[in-house]
Amino acid sequence: MMEVVRATPDHVEGICRVCADGWRATYADMCSPEYIERIIGEFYNEERVLKEVTETGRDWGGYFVAVEDGKVVGAGGGGMIGERSGEVFVLYVAPDRRNEGIGTRLLDAITRQQKAFGAAEQWVSVFKGNQKGIPFYEARGFVF
Ligand SMILES: CC(C)(COP(=O)(O)OP(=O)(O)OC[C@H]1O[C@@H](n2cnc3c(N)ncnc32)[C@H](O)[C@@H]1OP(=O)(O)O)[C@@H](O)C(=O)NCCC(=O)NCCS
């Protein structure tokens, strides 16, 4: 059974793992290994993610996680960038669990949260040429 829930400190390690694995699997063709490891070290270390799990609000709504048998298999989050605009800041599914609908469920959770904050539109920035990300957002109705 898989559930999508707001992340707690218990999920920090899993968030770091999924996002680091996601980065390595997604950007290997687009970025140098050094750059990828630098980004992972800067953004997906447990100290930083713990703060991002506990210090949340309108600008950063916290992480949502997809959890299966206690294991984090996907993570994502976003925040409001304007009165009526939300943005997805992070969204990764474990590389061996893509295309099962997990990303869609995480995106739905983020979207629901942003609508509750008053969002009427939603944005996302995707790395140019990211063919593991762009088709997903297009399938979900995002327009370039
Ligand atoms: C993007 C990502 C989060 C999507 O999560 P997911 O669980 O794999 O996606 P889902 O299974 O929910 O949905 C897949 C949808 O996208 C479409 N899709 C995904 N990859 C596709 C591809 N390469 N070509 C065409 N369509 C694709 C599927 O057709 C499906 O649409 P449908 O439900 O209408 O059939 C996940 O694939 C991922 O982690 N990708 C790598 C990291 C990344 O690029 N993240 C975004 C950074 S901003």
Side-chain angles (χ1 to χ4, degrees), residues 11-44:
H11 300 121
V12 166
E13 196 185 331
I15 294 169
C16 292
R17 173 179 43 76
V18 162
C19 292
D21 290 351
W23 253 85
R24 293 187 186 110
T26 307
Y27 303 111
D29 300 338
M30 291 169 263
C31 311
S32 72
E34 293 75 21
Y35 178 75
I36 290 173
E37 294 310 317
R38 181 154 60 78
I39 294 291
I40 291 171
E42 183 177 341
F43 290 96
Y44 303 113

Short mmCIF file of all heavy atoms in Angstrom, two decimals, residues 11-44:
data_model
loop_
_atom_site.label_atom_id
_atom_site.label_comp_id
_atom_site.label_asym_id
_atom_site.label_seq_id
_atom_site.Cartn_x
_atom_site.Cartn_y
_atom_site.Cartn_z
N HIS A 11 10.95 11.09 7.63
CA HIS A 11 11.11 10.88 6.19
C HIS A 11 12.34 11.54 5.60
O HIS A 11 12.60 11.40 4.40
CB HIS A 11 9.86 11.41 5.46
CG HIS A 11 8.58 10.74 5.87
ND1 HIS A 11 7.52 11.43 6.41
CD2 HIS A 11 8.22 9.44 5.85
CE1 HIS A 11 6.54 10.59 6.68
NE2 HIS A 11 6.94 9.37 6.36
N VAL A 12 13.09 12.26 6.42
CA VAL A 12 14.19 13.07 5.90
C VAL A 12 15.22 12.24 5.14
O VAL A 12 15.63 12.59 4.03
CB VAL A 12 14.86 13.88 7.05
CG1 VAL A 12 16.20 14.45 6.61
CG2 VAL A 12 13.92 14.99 7.52
N GLU A 13 15.61 11.12 5.73
CA GLU A 13 16.61 10.28 5.08
C GLU A 13 16.10 9.79 3.70
O GLU A 13 16.83 9.80 2.71
CB GLU A 13 16.91 9.09 6.00
CG GLU A 13 18.17 8.35 5.64
CD GLU A 13 18.35 7.09 6.52
OE1 GLU A 13 17.87 7.09 7.68
OE2 GLU A 13 18.93 6.13 6.01
N GLY A 14 14.84 9.38 3.67
CA GLY A 14 14.26 8.89 2.42
C GLY A 14 14.15 9.98 1.37
O GLY A 14 14.37 9.73 0.18
N ILE A 15 13.81 11.19 1.79
CA ILE A 15 13.73 12.32 0.85
C ILE A 15 15.10 12.55 0.23
O ILE A 15 15.23 12.69 -1.00
CB ILE A 15 13.23 13.60 1.55
CG1 ILE A 15 11.78 13.43 2.03
CG2 ILE A 15 13.36 14.81 0.62
CD1 ILE A 15 11.30 14.54 2.97
N CYS A 16 16.13 12.57 1.07
CA CYS A 16 17.50 12.81 0.56
C CYS A 16 17.89 11.71 -0.42
O CYS A 16 18.48 11.99 -1.48
CB CYS A 16 18.50 12.86 1.71
SG CYS A 16 18.29 14.29 2.78
N ARG A 17 17.56 10.48 -0.11
CA ARG A 17 17.92 9.35 -0.98
C ARG A 17 17.20 9.46 -2.34
O ARG A 17 17.83 9.37 -3.40
CB ARG A 17 17.57 8.03 -0.30
CG ARG A 17 17.75 6.80 -1.19
CD ARG A 17 17.42 5.49 -0.49
NE ARG A 17 16.22 5.55 0.34
CZ ARG A 17 14.97 5.53 -0.11
NH1 ARG A 17 14.75 5.44 -1.41
NH2 ARG A 17 13.95 5.60 0.71
N VAL A 18 15.88 9.68 -2.29
CA VAL A 18 15.12 9.73 -3.54
C VAL A 18 15.57 10.91 -4.41
O VAL A 18 15.72 10.77 -5.63
CB VAL A 18 13.61 9.80 -3.22
CG1 VAL A 18 12.81 10.29 -4.42
CG2 VAL A 18 13.10 8.44 -2.78
N CYS A 19 15.80 12.06 -3.80
CA CYS A 19 16.19 13.23 -4.59
C CYS A 19 17.61 13.07 -5.13
O CYS A 19 17.88 13.45 -6.28
CB CYS A 19 16.06 14.50 -3.75
SG CYS A 19 14.34 14.91 -3.37
N ALA A 20 18.51 12.50 -4.35
CA ALA A 20 19.88 12.28 -4.83
C ALA A 20 19.87 11.26 -5.97
O ALA A 20 20.48 11.49 -7.03
CB ALA A 20 20.78 11.81 -3.70
N ASP A 21 19.19 10.15 -5.79
CA ASP A 21 19.10 9.14 -6.86
C ASP A 21 18.43 9.74 -8.09
O ASP A 21 18.83 9.48 -9.23
CB ASP A 21 18.28 7.92 -6.39
CG ASP A 21 19.02 7.09 -5.35
OD1 ASP A 21 20.21 7.36 -5.11
OD2 ASP A 21 18.39 6.18 -4.77
N GLY A 22 17.39 10.54 -7.86
CA GLY A 22 16.68 11.18 -8.96
C GLY A 22 17.59 12.11 -9.74
O GLY A 22 17.60 12.10 -10.97
N TRP A 23 18.37 12.90 -9.01
CA TRP A 23 19.31 13.81 -9.68
C TRP A 23 20.30 13.04 -10.53
O TRP A 23 20.55 13.36 -11.69
CB TRP A 23 20.05 14.69 -8.66
CG TRP A 23 19.54 16.09 -8.73
CD1 TRP A 23 18.45 16.59 -8.08
CD2 TRP A 23 20.09 17.16 -9.52
NE1 TRP A 23 18.29 17.91 -8.42
CE2 TRP A 23 19.28 18.28 -9.29
CE3 TRP A 23 21.18 17.27 -10.38
CZ2 TRP A 23 19.52 19.51 -9.91
CZ3 TRP A 23 21.42 18.49 -11.00
CH2 TRP A 23 20.59 19.60 -10.76
N ARG A 24 20.88 11.99 -9.95
CA ARG A 24 21.89 11.22 -10.69
C ARG A 24 21.28 10.57 -11.93
O ARG A 24 21.90 10.54 -13.00
CB ARG A 24 22.51 10.16 -9.78
CG ARG A 24 23.33 10.77 -8.67
CD ARG A 24 24.09 9.73 -7.85
NE ARG A 24 24.74 10.37 -6.71
CZ ARG A 24 24.36 10.20 -5.44
NH1 ARG A 24 23.38 9.37 -5.14
NH2 ARG A 24 24.98 10.86 -4.47
N ALA A 25 20.06 10.05 -11.81
CA ALA A 25 19.43 9.35 -12.94
C ALA A 25 18.95 10.33 -14.01
O ALA A 25 18.91 9.99 -15.20
CB ALA A 25 18.25 8.51 -12.43
N THR A 26 18.60 11.54 -13.60
CA THR A 26 17.95 12.47 -14.52
C THR A 26 18.95 13.33 -15.29
O THR A 26 18.77 13.59 -16.47
CB THR A 26 16.98 13.39 -13.75
OG1 THR A 26 16.09 12.58 -13.00
CG2 THR A 26 16.19 14.29 -14.70
N TYR A 27 20.01 13.77 -14.61
CA TYR A 27 20.85 14.81 -15.20
C TYR A 27 22.21 14.31 -15.66
O TYR A 27 23.05 15.11 -16.08
CB TYR A 27 21.00 15.97 -14.22
CG TYR A 27 19.66 16.55 -13.81
CD1 TYR A 27 19.17 16.40 -12.52
CD2 TYR A 27 18.86 17.20 -14.74
CE1 TYR A 27 17.93 16.90 -12.15
CE2 TYR A 27 17.62 17.71 -14.39
CZ TYR A 27 17.16 17.55 -13.09
OH TYR A 27 15.93 18.04 -12.75
N ALA A 28 22.41 12.98 -15.62
CA ALA A 28 23.72 12.43 -16.01
C ALA A 28 24.12 12.85 -17.43
O ALA A 28 25.29 13.08 -17.70
CB ALA A 28 23.71 10.91 -15.89
N ASP A 29 23.11 12.96 -18.34
CA ASP A 29 23.42 13.34 -19.72
C ASP A 29 23.58 14.84 -19.90
O ASP A 29 24.04 15.29 -20.94
CB ASP A 29 22.29 12.88 -20.66
CG ASP A 29 22.10 11.38 -20.63
OD1 ASP A 29 23.06 10.67 -20.23
OD2 ASP A 29 21.00 10.91 -20.98
N MET A 30 23.14 15.60 -18.91
CA MET A 30 23.08 17.06 -19.09
C MET A 30 24.11 17.82 -18.26
O MET A 30 24.44 18.96 -18.59
CB MET A 30 21.68 17.57 -18.71
CG MET A 30 20.60 17.15 -19.69
SD MET A 30 18.97 17.51 -19.01
CE MET A 30 18.55 15.93 -18.35
N CYS A 31 24.58 17.21 -17.18
CA CYS A 31 25.49 17.92 -16.27
C CYS A 31 26.67 17.03 -15.92
O CYS A 31 26.58 15.81 -16.00
CB CYS A 31 24.78 18.25 -14.95
SG CYS A 31 23.19 19.04 -15.13
N SER A 32 27.76 17.67 -15.51
CA SER A 32 28.93 16.90 -15.11
C SER A 32 28.67 16.21 -13.77
O SER A 32 27.86 16.69 -12.97
CB SER A 32 30.14 17.83 -14.97
OG SER A 32 29.98 18.64 -13.82
N PRO A 33 29.34 15.08 -13.52
CA PRO A 33 29.19 14.39 -12.23
C PRO A 33 29.52 15.31 -11.06
O PRO A 33 28.87 15.25 -10.01
CB PRO A 33 30.19 13.24 -12.31
CG PRO A 33 30.49 13.05 -13.76
CD PRO A 33 30.25 14.36 -14.44
N GLU A 34 30.53 16.17 -11.25
CA GLU A 34 30.93 17.08 -10.16
C GLU A 34 29.78 18.02 -9.82
O GLU A 34 29.49 18.28 -8.65
CB GLU A 34 32.17 17.90 -10.56
CG GLU A 34 33.44 17.10 -10.74
CD GLU A 34 33.48 16.29 -12.04
OE1 GLU A 34 32.72 16.63 -12.99
OE2 GLU A 34 34.25 15.32 -12.10
N TYR A 35 29.15 18.56 -10.85
CA TYR A 35 28.04 19.50 -10.64
C TYR A 35 26.89 18.79 -9.92
O TYR A 35 26.33 19.31 -8.95
CB TYR A 35 27.58 20.08 -11.97
CG TYR A 35 26.41 21.03 -11.83
CD1 TYR A 35 26.59 22.32 -11.33
CD2 TYR A 35 25.12 20.63 -12.19
CE1 TYR A 35 25.52 23.17 -11.18
CE2 TYR A 35 24.05 21.48 -12.04
CZ TYR A 35 24.24 22.75 -11.54
OH TYR A 35 23.17 23.59 -11.39
N ILE A 36 26.56 17.58 -10.40
CA ILE A 36 25.45 16.83 -9.80
C ILE A 36 25.72 16.58 -8.32
O ILE A 36 24.84 16.81 -7.47
CB ILE A 36 25.23 15.49 -10.57
CG1 ILE A 36 24.68 15.79 -11.97
CG2 ILE A 36 24.29 14.56 -9.79
CD1 ILE A 36 24.59 14.58 -12.89
N GLU A 37 26.92 16.15 -8.00
CA GLU A 37 27.23 15.85 -6.59
C GLU A 37 27.25 17.12 -5.74
O GLU A 37 26.89 17.09 -4.56
CB GLU A 37 28.55 15.09 -6.48
CG GLU A 37 28.52 13.69 -7.11
CD GLU A 37 27.33 12.81 -6.68
OE1 GLU A 37 27.00 12.79 -5.47
OE2 GLU A 37 26.73 12.17 -7.56
N ARG A 38 27.64 18.24 -6.34
CA ARG A 38 27.63 19.50 -5.60
C ARG A 38 26.19 19.90 -5.25
O ARG A 38 25.89 20.31 -4.13
CB ARG A 38 28.34 20.59 -6.41
CG ARG A 38 28.40 21.93 -5.70
CD ARG A 38 29.58 22.77 -6.17
NE ARG A 38 29.54 23.08 -7.59
CZ ARG A 38 28.77 24.03 -8.14
NH1 ARG A 38 27.98 24.75 -7.38
NH2 ARG A 38 28.81 24.25 -9.44
N ILE A 39 25.30 19.76 -6.23
CA ILE A 39 23.89 20.11 -5.99
C ILE A 39 23.29 19.20 -4.92
O ILE A 39 22.60 19.65 -4.00
CB ILE A 39 23.08 19.99 -7.31
CG1 ILE A 39 23.53 21.03 -8.31
CG2 ILE A 39 21.58 20.11 -7.02
CD1 ILE A 39 23.20 22.46 -7.97
N ILE A 40 23.58 17.90 -5.03
CA ILE A 40 23.04 16.95 -4.04
C ILE A 40 23.55 17.31 -2.65
O ILE A 40 22.78 17.35 -1.69
CB ILE A 40 23.44 15.50 -4.42
CG1 ILE A 40 22.68 15.07 -5.69
CG2 ILE A 40 23.15 14.54 -3.26
CD1 ILE A 40 23.15 13.75 -6.27
N GLY A 41 24.84 17.61 -2.56
CA GLY A 41 25.41 17.96 -1.25
C GLY A 41 24.80 19.22 -0.68
O GLY A 41 24.57 19.34 0.53
N GLU A 42 24.49 20.17 -1.56
CA GLU A 42 23.97 21.47 -1.09
C GLU A 42 22.49 21.38 -0.71
O GLU A 42 22.09 21.91 0.33
CB GLU A 42 24.16 22.51 -2.19
CG GLU A 42 23.72 23.91 -1.78
CD GLU A 42 23.98 24.95 -2.88
OE1 GLU A 42 24.81 24.68 -3.78
OE2 GLU A 42 23.35 26.01 -2.82
N PHE A 43 21.69 20.69 -1.52
CA PHE A 43 20.23 20.74 -1.32
C PHE A 43 19.66 19.52 -0.62
O PHE A 43 18.62 19.61 0.02
CB PHE A 43 19.52 20.91 -2.67
CG PHE A 43 19.73 22.27 -3.25
CD1 PHE A 43 20.72 22.48 -4.19
CD2 PHE A 43 18.95 23.34 -2.84
CE1 PHE A 43 20.93 23.75 -4.73
CE2 PHE A 43 19.15 24.60 -3.37
CZ PHE A 43 20.14 24.80 -4.32
N TYR A 44 20.30 18.36 -0.77
CA TYR A 44 19.69 17.13 -0.25
C TYR A 44 20.50 16.51 0.86
O TYR A 44 20.67 15.30 0.93
CB TYR A 44 19.38 16.18 -1.41
CG TYR A 44 18.50 16.86 -2.43
CD1 TYR A 44 18.94 17.16 -3.70
CD2 TYR A 44 17.21 17.29 -2.06
CE1 TYR A 44 18.14 17.86 -4.60
CE2 TYR A 44 16.41 17.99 -2.94
CZ TYR A 44 16.88 18.27 -4.22
OH TYR A 44 16.08 18.96 -5.09
#
